[in-house]
Amino acid sequence: MDQVIYFDNNATTRVDPAVFEAMRPYFCERYGNASSIHRFGGSIAAEVEEARRRVARLLGASFRDKDDHATEIIFTSGGTEGDNAALAASTAARPDRRRIVTTQVEHPAILTTVREYERRGYEVVLIPVDERGRLDMEFAERAVNDDTAVLSVMWANNEIGNLYDVAAFARMAHRHGALFHTDAVQAAGKVPINLEENEIDMLSISGHKLHAAKGIGAMFVRRGVRFRPLITGGHQERGRRGGTENVPGIIGLGCACELACAGLETERKQLTFLRDRLEAGIAERVPAVRLNGDHESRLPNTASISFDCIEGEAILSLLDRYGICASSGSACTTGSLEPSHVLRAMGVPYIAAHGTIRFSLSKFNTVEEVDRTIEVLPPIIATLRAMSPFWKGGGR
């Protein structure tokens, strides 16, 4: 295997070389603690605040305090921590409310956590989706009531790429006095976000999904929203997240957000072109395929494709022999013998759901890589179907 063709960017991304170079000095040269009062640490604290402003710019968050600080941004270890912190803060802020509303297609960081709240006596209501993964807005209107502490709806789905109208869901929550949170891990850096123009209370992102390092993320918490820290023990992050700051990670995340701001529209067009080329090439050469999701409102980089009558794990294994990396769904559910919860919620037939592959692209992918995949994949599918007891041949 001479070259890796990496189409698993919704699982994690390559660190941008510019981000790596921005982080490098903070390991061995500028290693001070940003919370120290000496000048060596103090200068680093100023650069942490600049990184915070860069994150805020990507998210369209304000910096209105007298020192021009982006006080609505809290650095975390990633999206999972941010999601957990948002749920914990929301339920603490509304202790008399015992209902949590989210969706059937959320990331496990939300779904696993709300099940824990359910064990503590909360009522958890999951908004269903249709066959294209679109959320049932009428169900949501009935589900969110005056007993709801928090409504949490992801901005973009990590498996099928669907984009959801989080601004409308935020208004829905506020009509009942509930808080609204969105997991924007897959959206940040891929689609425009402007938190000044909506009512979102809390938002979570993860650095390693937008070409920063693993182990760093950020939360947006709107000014005025009551927030109880999930992690206590220190005064860092203005008392909202204890623990010594991950300075290299923070600097890298700030750089990645700045790069994403500058390249957002160019990369959106590039990724849309590559994704559409990949989908069309596969659909032309392989019978009985399904393109999953809402093709009118989705991420530019994500293609979820089901191949009837074969196993996705077998497809991935054979693709791997050619150095092509893809996924059968969320990296957090890899190893499960069941089809993903997203495909089950959509009602995708088992015969197709088991053979689903997610291709997720990044700015580092090329036309040549897409064309190579279109060349390699059809014979793989034909070989596996020839061995399948369920495949009867035929058309689409």
Side-chain angles (χ1 to χ4, degrees), residues 269-354:
K269 292 178 180 177
Q270 172 195 355
L271 292 172
T272 301
F273 170 77
L274 292 176
R275 180 205 64 199
D276 290 351
R277 186 183 184 96
L278 178 65
E279 288 181 340
I282 292 172
E284 287 172 5
R285 292 164 175 80
V286 181
V289 298
R290 303 165 189 257
L291 303 181
N292 300 310
D294 181 3
H295 291 179
E296 296 174 2
S297 181
R298 59 172 172 159
L299 292 171
N301 79 315
T302 305
S304 172
I305 306 175
S306 297
F307 301 90
D308 287 1
C309 303
I310 52 177
E311 291 290 335
E313 299 300 324
I315 302 171
L316 293 175
S317 178
L318 293 178
L319 283 173
D320 188 54
R321 295 183 184 181
Y322 292 92
I324 300 171
C325 304
S327 170
S328 56
S330 167
C332 296
T333 58
T334 297
S336 171
L337 296 177
E338 288 294 309
S340 84
H341 68 285
V342 174
L343 299 178
R344 294 200 307 272
M346 293 166 60
V348 176
Y350 265 57
I351 202 166
H354 273 286

Coordinates of all heavy atoms in Angstrom, one line a residue, residues 269-354:
K269 N -17.4 24.6 -2.2 CA -17.6 24.3 -3.6 C -16.7 23.1 -4.0 O -17.2 22.2 -4.8 CB -17.2 25.5 -4.4 CG -18.2 26.7 -4.3 CD -17.7 27.9 -5.1 CE -18.7 29.0 -4.9 NZ -18.2 30.2 -5.7
Q270 N -15.5 23.0 -3.5 CA -14.6 21.9 -3.9 C -15.1 20.6 -3.4 O -15.2 19.6 -4.1 CB -13.2 22.2 -3.2 CG -12.2 21.0 -3.3 CD -11.1 21.1 -2.4 OE1 -10.9 22.1 -1.7 NE2 -10.2 20.1 -2.4
L271 N -15.6 20.6 -2.1 CA -16.1 19.3 -1.5 C -17.4 18.9 -2.2 O -17.6 17.7 -2.4 CB -16.3 19.5 0.0 CG -15.0 19.7 0.8 CD1 -15.3 20.1 2.2 CD2 -14.1 18.5 0.7
T272 N -18.3 19.8 -2.5 CA -19.5 19.5 -3.2 C -19.2 18.8 -4.5 O -19.9 17.8 -4.9 CB -20.4 20.7 -3.3 OG1 -20.7 21.3 -2.0 CG2 -21.7 20.4 -4.0
F273 N -18.3 19.4 -5.2 CA -17.9 18.8 -6.5 C -17.4 17.4 -6.4 O -17.8 16.5 -7.1 CB -16.9 19.7 -7.2 CG -16.3 19.1 -8.4 CD1 -16.9 19.1 -9.6 CD2 -15.0 18.6 -8.4 CE1 -16.4 18.5 -10.8 CE2 -14.4 18.0 -9.5 CZ -15.1 18.0 -10.7
L274 N -16.5 17.2 -5.5 CA -15.9 15.9 -5.3 C -16.9 14.9 -4.8 O -17.0 13.7 -5.3 CB -14.7 16.0 -4.3 CG -13.5 16.7 -4.7 CD1 -12.5 16.8 -3.6 CD2 -12.9 16.1 -6.0
R275 N -17.8 15.3 -3.9 CA -18.8 14.4 -3.4 C -19.8 14.0 -4.5 O -20.1 12.8 -4.6 CB -19.6 15.0 -2.2 CG -20.7 14.2 -1.6 CD -21.7 15.1 -1.0 NE -22.4 15.9 -1.9 CZ -23.1 17.0 -1.6 NH1 -23.2 17.5 -0.4 NH2 -23.7 17.7 -2.6
D276 N -20.2 14.9 -5.2 CA -21.2 14.6 -6.3 C -20.5 13.8 -7.4 O -21.2 12.9 -7.9 CB -21.7 15.9 -6.9 CG -22.6 16.7 -6.0 OD1 -23.0 16.2 -4.9 OD2 -22.9 17.9 -6.3
R277 N -19.3 14.0 -7.7 CA -18.6 13.2 -8.6 C -18.5 11.7 -8.1 O -18.7 10.7 -8.9 CB -17.2 13.7 -8.9 CG -16.4 13.0 -10.0 CD -15.0 13.7 -10.1 NE -14.2 13.1 -11.1 CZ -14.0 13.7 -12.4 NH1 -14.7 14.8 -12.6 NH2 -13.2 13.1 -13.3
L278 N -18.2 11.6 -6.9 CA -18.1 10.2 -6.3 C -19.4 9.5 -6.3 O -19.5 8.3 -6.7 CB -17.6 10.3 -4.8 CG -17.4 9.0 -4.1 CD1 -16.4 8.1 -4.7 CD2 -17.1 9.3 -2.6
E279 N -20.5 10.2 -5.9 CA -21.8 9.6 -5.9 C -22.3 9.2 -7.3 O -22.8 8.1 -7.5 CB -22.8 10.5 -5.2 CG -22.6 10.7 -3.7 CD -23.7 11.6 -3.1 OE1 -24.3 12.4 -3.9 OE2 -23.9 11.5 -1.9
A280 N -22.1 10.1 -8.2 CA -22.5 9.8 -9.6 C -21.7 8.7 -10.2 O -22.3 7.8 -10.9 CB -22.4 11.1 -10.4
G281 N -20.4 8.6 -10.0 CA -19.6 7.6 -10.5 C -20.0 6.2 -10.0 O -20.0 5.2 -10.7
I282 N -20.3 6.1 -8.7 CA -20.7 4.9 -8.1 C -22.0 4.4 -8.6 O -22.3 3.3 -9.0 CB -20.6 5.0 -6.6 CG1 -19.2 5.1 -6.1 CG2 -21.3 3.7 -5.9 CD1 -19.1 5.4 -4.6
A283 N -23.0 5.4 -8.6 CA -24.4 5.1 -9.1 C -24.4 4.6 -10.5 O -25.2 3.8 -10.9 CB -25.2 6.3 -8.9
E284 N -23.5 5.1 -11.3 CA -23.5 4.7 -12.8 C -22.9 3.3 -12.9 O -23.3 2.6 -13.9 CB -22.6 5.7 -13.5 CG -23.3 7.1 -13.7 CD -22.3 8.1 -14.3 OE1 -21.1 7.7 -14.7 OE2 -22.7 9.3 -14.5
R285 N -22.0 2.9 -12.1 CA -21.3 1.6 -12.3 C -21.8 0.5 -11.4 O -21.4 -0.7 -11.6 CB -19.8 1.9 -12.0 CG -19.2 2.8 -13.1 CD -17.8 3.3 -12.6 NE -17.2 4.1 -13.6 CZ -17.4 5.4 -13.9 NH1 -18.4 6.0 -13.2 NH2 -16.8 6.0 -14.8
V286 N -22.6 0.8 -10.4 CA -23.0 -0.3 -9.4 C -24.5 -0.3 -9.4 O -25.1 0.7 -9.1 CB -22.4 0.0 -8.0 CG1 -22.8 -1.2 -7.1 CG2 -20.9 0.1 -8.1
P287 N -25.1 -1.5 -9.6 CA -26.6 -1.6 -9.5 C -27.0 -1.7 -8.0 O -26.2 -2.0 -7.1 CB -26.9 -2.9 -10.2 CG -25.7 -3.7 -10.1 CD -24.5 -2.7 -10.1
A288 N -28.3 -1.4 -7.7 CA -28.9 -1.6 -6.4 C -28.1 -0.8 -5.3 O -27.7 -1.4 -4.3 CB -29.0 -3.1 -6.1
V289 N -27.9 0.5 -5.5 CA -27.4 1.3 -4.5 C -28.4 2.4 -4.1 O -29.3 2.7 -4.8 CB -26.1 2.0 -5.0 CG1 -25.0 1.0 -5.4 CG2 -26.4 3.0 -6.2
R290 N -28.2 2.8 -2.8 CA -29.1 3.9 -2.3 C -28.2 5.0 -1.8 O -27.2 4.7 -1.1 CB -29.9 3.3 -1.1 CG -30.8 2.1 -1.4 CD -31.3 1.4 -0.2 NE -31.9 0.1 -0.5 CZ -33.2 0.0 -0.4 NH1 -34.0 1.0 -0.2 NH2 -33.7 -1.2 -0.7
L291 N -28.6 6.2 -2.1 CA -27.9 7.4 -1.6 C -28.7 7.9 -0.4 O -29.9 8.4 -0.6 CB -27.7 8.5 -2.6 CG -27.0 8.0 -3.9 CD1 -26.9 9.2 -4.9 CD2 -25.6 7.5 -3.6
N292 N -28.2 7.8 0.8 CA -29.0 8.1 2.0 C -29.0 9.5 2.4 O -27.9 10.2 2.1 CB -28.5 7.2 3.2 CG -28.5 5.8 2.9 OD1 -29.6 5.2 2.5 ND2 -27.4 5.0 3.1
G293 N -30.0 10.0 2.9 CA -30.1 11.4 3.5 C -30.9 12.3 2.7 O -31.5 12.0 1.6
D294 N -30.9 13.6 3.1 CA -31.6 14.7 2.5 C -30.7 15.4 1.5 O -29.9 16.2 2.0 CB -32.2 15.6 3.6 CG -33.0 16.8 3.0 OD1 -33.2 16.8 1.8 OD2 -33.4 17.6 3.8
H295 N -30.9 15.2 0.2 CA -29.9 15.8 -0.7 C -30.2 17.2 -1.0 O -29.4 17.9 -1.7 CB -30.0 15.0 -2.0 CG -29.4 13.6 -1.9 ND1 -29.4 12.7 -2.9 CD2 -28.9 13.0 -0.8 CE1 -28.8 11.6 -2.5 NE2 -28.5 11.7 -1.2
E296 N -31.2 17.8 -0.4 CA -31.5 19.2 -0.5 C -30.9 20.0 0.6 O -30.8 21.2 0.5 CB -33.0 19.5 -0.6 CG -33.7 18.8 -1.8 CD -35.2 18.9 -1.8 OE1 -35.7 19.6 -0.8 OE2 -35.8 18.4 -2.7
S297 N -30.5 19.4 1.7 CA -30.0 20.1 2.8 C -29.0 19.2 3.6 O -29.4 18.4 4.5 CB -31.1 20.5 3.8 OG -30.6 21.2 4.9
R298 N -27.7 19.2 3.2 CA -26.7 18.4 3.7 C -25.3 19.0 3.7 O -25.1 20.0 3.0 CB -26.7 17.0 3.0 CG -26.4 17.1 1.5 CD -26.3 15.7 1.0 NE -26.2 15.7 -0.5 CZ -25.6 14.7 -1.2 NH1 -25.1 13.6 -0.5 NH2 -25.6 14.7 -2.5
L299 N -24.4 18.4 4.4 CA -23.0 18.8 4.4 C -22.4 18.6 3.0 O -22.8 17.7 2.2 CB -22.2 18.0 5.3 CG -22.5 18.2 6.8 CD1 -21.7 17.2 7.7 CD2 -22.1 19.6 7.3
P300 N -21.5 19.4 2.6 CA -20.9 19.3 1.2 C -19.9 18.1 1.1 O -19.6 17.7 0.0 CB -20.1 20.6 1.1 CG -19.8 21.0 2.4 CD -21.0 20.6 3.3
N301 N -19.5 17.5 2.2 CA -18.4 16.5 2.2 C -18.9 15.1 2.4 O -18.0 14.2 2.4 CB -17.4 16.9 3.2 CG -17.8 16.4 4.6 OD1 -18.9 16.6 5.0 ND2 -16.9 15.8 5.3
T302 N -20.2 14.8 2.7 CA -20.6 13.5 3.2 C -21.5 12.8 2.2 O -22.5 13.3 1.8 CB -21.3 13.7 4.6 OG1 -20.5 14.4 5.5 CG2 -21.7 12.3 5.1
A303 N -21.1 11.5 1.9 CA -21.9 10.6 1.1 C -22.1 9.3 1.8 O -21.2 8.6 2.2 CB -21.2 10.4 -0.2
S304 N -23.4 9.0 2.1 CA -23.8 7.7 2.7 C -24.4 6.9 1.7 O -25.5 7.2 1.1 CB -24.7 8.0 3.9 OG -25.2 6.7 4.4
I305 N -23.8 5.7 1.3 CA -24.3 4.9 0.2 C -24.5 3.5 0.7 O -23.6 2.9 1.3 CB -23.2 4.9 -0.9 CG1 -22.9 6.4 -1.4 CG2 -23.7 4.1 -2.1 CD1 -21.9 6.5 -2.4
S306 N -25.7 2.9 0.4 CA -26.0 1.6 0.8 C -25.9 0.6 -0.4 O -26.4 1.0 -1.5 CB -27.4 1.5 1.4 OG -27.4 2.2 2.6
F307 N -25.3 -0.5 -0.2 CA -25.1 -1.5 -1.3 C -25.9 -2.8 -0.8 O -25.5 -3.4 0.2 CB -23.7 -1.9 -1.5 CG -22.8 -0.7 -1.9 CD1 -22.2 0.1 -0.9 CD2 -22.6 -0.3 -3.2 CE1 -21.4 1.2 -1.3 CE2 -21.9 0.8 -3.6 CZ -21.3 1.5 -2.6
D308 N -27.0 -3.1 -1.5 CA -27.8 -4.2 -1.1 C -27.1 -5.5 -1.1 O -26.2 -5.8 -1.9 CB -29.0 -4.3 -2.1 CG -30.0 -3.2 -1.9 OD1 -29.8 -2.3 -1.1 OD2 -31.0 -3.2 -2.7
C309 N -27.5 -6.3 -0.1 CA -27.1 -7.8 0.0 C -25.7 -8.1 0.3 O -25.3 -9.3 0.2 CB -27.5 -8.5 -1.4 SG -29.2 -8.3 -1.9
I310 N -24.9 -7.1 0.8 CA -23.6 -7.4 1.3 C -23.3 -6.7 2.6 O -24.0 -5.8 3.0 CB -22.5 -7.1 0.2 CG1 -22.7 -5.7 -0.3 CG2 -22.6 -8.1 -1.0 CD1 -21.7 -5.2 -1.3
E311 N -22.2 -7.1 3.2 CA -21.8 -6.5 4.5 C -20.8 -5.3 4.3 O -19.8 -5.4 3.6 CB -21.1 -7.5 5.4 CG -22.1 -8.6 5.9 CD -23.1 -8.1 6.9 OE1 -22.8 -7.1 7.6 OE2 -24.2 -8.7 7.0
G312 N -21.1 -4.2 5.0 CA -20.3 -3.0 4.9 C -18.9 -3.3 5.4 O -17.9 -2.8 4.8
E313 N -18.7 -4.1 6.4 CA -17.4 -4.4 6.9 C -16.5 -5.1 5.9 O -15.3 -4.9 5.8 CB -17.5 -5.3 8.2 CG -18.2 -4.6 9.3 CD -17.6 -3.3 9.8 OE1 -16.4 -3.2 9.8 OE2 -18.4 -2.4 10.2
A314 N -17.1 -6.0 5.1 CA -16.4 -6.7 4.0 C -16.0 -5.7 2.9 O -14.8 -5.8 2.4 CB -17.3 -7.8 3.4
I315 N -16.8 -4.7 2.6 CA -16.5 -3.7 1.6 C -15.3 -2.9 2.1 O -14.3 -2.7 1.4 CB -17.7 -2.8 1.4 CG1 -18.9 -3.5 0.8 CG2 -17.2 -1.7 0.4 CD1 -20.1 -2.7 0.8
L316 N -15.3 -2.5 3.4 CA -14.3 -1.7 4.0 C -12.9 -2.5 4.0 O -11.9 -1.9 3.7 CB -14.6 -1.3 5.4 CG -15.8 -0.3 5.5 CD1 -16.1 0.0 7.0 CD2 -15.5 1.0 4.8
S317 N -13.0 -3.8 4.3 CA -11.8 -4.6 4.3 C -11.1 -4.6 3.0 O -9.9 -4.5 2.9 CB -12.1 -6.0 4.8 OG -11.0 -6.8 4.9
L318 N -11.9 -4.8 1.9 CA -11.4 -4.9 0.6 C -10.9 -3.5 0.1 O -9.9 -3.4 -0.6 CB -12.4 -5.5 -0.4 CG -12.7 -7.0 -0.1 CD1 -13.8 -7.5 -1.1 CD2 -11.5 -7.8 -0.2
L319 N -11.6 -2.5 0.4 CA -11.1 -1.1 0.1 C -9.8 -0.8 0.8 O -8.9 -0.2 0.2 CB -12.2 -0.1 0.5 CG -13.4 0.1 -0.3 CD1 -14.4 1.1 0.3 CD2 -13.0 0.6 -1.7
D320 N -9.7 -1.3 2.0 CA -8.4 -1.1 2.7 C -7.2 -1.7 2.0 O -6.1 -1.2 2.2 CB -8.6 -1.6 4.1 CG -7.4 -1.3 5.1 OD1 -7.2 -0.1 5.2 OD2 -6.8 -2.2 5.7
R321 N -7.4 -2.8 1.3 CA -6.3 -3.4 0.6 C -5.8 -2.5 -0.5 O -4.6 -2.6 -0.9 CB -6.8 -4.7 -0.1 CG -7.1 -5.8 0.9 CD -7.5 -7.1 0.2 NE -8.0 -8.1 1.2 CZ -8.3 -9.3 0.8 NH1 -8.3 -9.7 -0.5 NH2 -8.7 -10.2 1.7
Y322 N -6.6 -1.5 -1.0 CA -6.2 -0.5 -2.0 C -5.8 0.8 -1.3 O -5.6 1.8 -2.0 CB -7.3 -0.3 -3.0 CG -7.6 -1.5 -3.8 CD1 -8.6 -2.4 -3.5 CD2 -6.9 -1.7 -5.0 CE1 -8.9 -3.5 -4.3 CE2 -7.2 -2.7 -5.9 CZ -8.2 -3.7 -5.5 OH -8.5 -4.7 -6.3
G323 N -5.7 0.8 0.0 CA -5.4 2.0 0.7 C -6.5 3.0 0.8 O -6.2 4.2 1.1
I324 N -7.7 2.6 0.6 CA -8.9 3.5 0.7 C -9.5 3.4 2.0 O -10.0 2.3 2.4 CB -9.8 3.2 -0.5 CG1 -9.1 3.4 -1.8 CG2 -11.1 4.1 -0.4 CD1 -10.0 3.0 -3.0
C325 N -9.6 4.5 2.8 CA -10.2 4.5 4.1 C -11.6 5.1 4.1 O -11.7 6.3 3.7 CB -9.3 5.2 5.1 SG -7.6 4.6 5.1
A326 N -12.6 4.4 4.5 CA -13.9 4.9 4.6 C -14.5 4.4 5.9 O -13.7 3.9 6.8 CB -14.8 4.6 3.4
S327 N -15.8 4.4 6.1 CA -16.4 4.0 7.4 C -17.8 3.4 7.1 O -18.4 3.7 6.0 CB -16.6 5.2 8.3 OG -17.4 5.0 9.4
S328 N -18.2 2.6 8.0 CA -19.6 2.1 7.9 C -20.6 2.9 8.7 O -21.7 2.6 8.8 CB -19.6 0.6 8.5 OG -19.2 0.6 9.8
G329 N -20.1 4.0 9.2 CA -21.0 4.9 10.0 C -20.2 5.7 10.9 O -19.0 6.1 10.7
S330 N -20.7 6.0 12.1 CA -20.0 6.7 13.1 C -18.8 5.9 13.7 O -18.9 4.7 13.9 CB -20.9 7.0 14.3 OG -20.2 7.5 15.4
A331 N -17.6 6.5 13.8 CA -16.5 5.8 14.4 C -16.8 5.4 15.8 O -16.1 4.5 16.4 CB -15.3 6.8 14.4
C332 N -17.8 6.0 16.5 CA -18.1 5.7 17.9 C -18.9 4.4 18.0 O -19.2 4.0 19.1 CB -18.8 6.9 18.6 SG -17.7 8.3 18.7
T333 N -19.4 3.9 16.9 CA -20.2 2.7 16.9 C -19.5 1.5 16.1 O -20.1 0.5 16.0 CB -21.6 2.9 16.3 OG1 -21.5 3.4 15.0 CG2 -22.4 4.0 17.1
T334 N -18.3 1.8 15.6 CA -17.6 0.7 14.9 C -17.4 -0.5 15.8 O -17.1 -0.4 16.9 CB -16.3 1.2 14.4 OG1 -16.5 2.3 13.5 CG2 -15.5 0.2 13.7
G335 N -17.7 -1.7 15.2 CA -17.6 -2.9 16.0 C -18.9 -3.5 16.3 O -19.0 -4.7 16.7
S336 N -20.0 -2.7 16.2 CA -21.3 -3.2 16.5 C -21.8 -4.0 15.3 O -21.5 -3.7 14.1 CB -22.3 -2.0 16.7 OG -23.6 -2.5 16.7
L337 N -22.5 -5.1 15.6 CA -23.0 -6.0 14.5 C -24.3 -5.5 14.0 O -24.8 -5.9 12.9 CB -23.2 -7.4 15.0 CG -21.9 -8.1 15.4 CD1 -22.2 -9.5 16.0 CD2 -20.9 -8.2 14.2
E338 N -24.9 -4.5 14.7 CA -26.2 -3.9 14.3 C -26.0 -2.8 13.3 O -25.0 -2.1 13.4 CB -27.0 -3.4 15.5 CG -27.5 -4.6 16.4 CD -28.6 -5.4 15.6 OE1 -29.5 -4.7 15.1 OE2 -28.5 -6.6 15.6
P339 N -26.9 -2.5 12.4 CA -26.8 -1.3 11.6 C -26.9 -0.1 12.5 O -27.4 -0.1 13.6 CB -28.1 -1.4 10.7 CG -28.5 -2.8 10.7 CD -28.1 -3.4 12.0
S340 N -26.4 1.0 12.0 CA -26.3 2.2 12.8 C -27.7 2.7 13.3 O -28.7 2.4 12.6 CB -25.7 3.4 12.0 OG -26.6 4.0 11.2
H341 N -27.8 3.3 14.4 CA -29.1 3.8 14.9 C -29.7 4.8 14.0 O -30.9 5.0 13.9 CB -28.9 4.4 16.3 CG -28.1 5.7 16.3 ND1 -26.7 5.7 16.2 CD2 -28.5 7.0 16.5 CE1 -26.3 7.0 16.3 NE2 -27.3 7.8 16.4
V342 N -28.9 5.5 13.2 CA -29.4 6.5 12.3 C -30.1 5.8 11.1 O -31.2 6.2 10.8 CB -28.2 7.4 11.7 CG1 -28.7 8.4 10.6 CG2 -27.6 8.2 12.8
L343 N -29.5 4.8 10.6 CA -30.2 4.1 9.5 C -31.4 3.4 9.9 O -32.4 3.3 9.2 CB -29.2 3.1 8.8 CG -27.9 3.7 8.2 CD1 -27.0 2.6 7.7 CD2 -28.3 4.7 7.1
R344 N -31.4 2.8 11.2 CA -32.6 2.2 11.7 C -33.7 3.2 11.9 O -34.8 2.9 11.6 CB -32.2 1.5 13.0 CG -31.3 0.3 12.9 CD -31.4 -0.6 14.1 NE -31.2 0.1 15.4 CZ -30.1 0.3 16.0 NH1 -28.9 -0.1 15.4 NH2 -30.0 0.9 17.2
A345 N -33.4 4.4 12.4 CA -34.4 5.4 12.6 C -35.0 5.8 11.3 O -36.2 6.2 11.2 CB -33.8 6.6 13.3
M346 N -34.2 5.8 10.2 CA -34.7 6.1 8.9 C -35.5 5.0 8.2 O -36.2 5.2 7.2 CB -33.6 6.5 8.0 CG -32.8 7.8 8.4 SD -31.2 7.9 7.5 CE -31.7 8.0 5.8
G347 N -35.5 3.8 8.8 CA -36.2 2.7 8.2 C -35.5 2.1 7.0 O -36.2 1.4 6.2
V348 N -34.2 2.3 6.9 CA -33.5 1.7 5.8 C -33.6 0.2 6.0 O -33.2 -0.3 7.0 CB -32.0 2.2 5.8 CG1 -31.2 1.4 4.7 CG2 -31.9 3.7 5.5
P349 N -34.0 -0.6 5.0 CA -34.1 -2.1 5.1 C -32.7 -2.7 5.5 O -31.7 -2.2 5.1 CB -34.5 -2.5 3.7 CG -35.1 -1.3 3.0 CD -34.4 -0.1 3.6
Y350 N -32.8 -3.7 6.4 CA -31.6 -4.3 6.9 C -30.7 -4.8 5.7 O -29.5 -4.7 5.8 CB -32.0 -5.5 7.8 CG -32.0 -5.2 9.2 CD1 -32.8 -4.2 9.7 CD2 -31.2 -5.9 10.2 CE1 -32.9 -3.9 11.0 CE2 -31.2 -5.5 11.5 CZ -32.1 -4.5 11.9 OH -32.1 -4.2 13.3
I351 N -31.3 -5.2 4.7 CA -30.5 -5.8 3.5 C -29.6 -4.7 2.9 O -28.6 -5.0 2.3 CB -31.4 -6.4 2.5 CG1 -30.6 -7.4 1.6 CG2 -32.1 -5.4 1.6 CD1 -31.5 -8.4 0.8
A352 N -30.0 -3.4 3.1 CA -29.2 -2.3 2.6 C -28.4 -1.7 3.7 O -27.3 -1.3 3.5 CB -30.2 -1.2 2.0
A353 N -29.0 -1.6 4.9 CA -28.4 -0.9 6.0 C -27.0 -1.6 6.4 O -26.0 -0.9 6.7 CB -29.3 -0.9 7.3
H354 N -27.0 -2.9 6.3 CA -25.8 -3.7 6.7 C -24.7 -3.4 5.6 O -23.5 -3.6 6.0 CB -26.1 -5.2 6.7 CG -26.6 -5.6 8.0 ND1 -25.7 -5.7 9.1 CD2 -27.8 -6.0 8.5 CE1 -26.4 -6.1 10.2 NE2 -27.7 -6.3 9.8

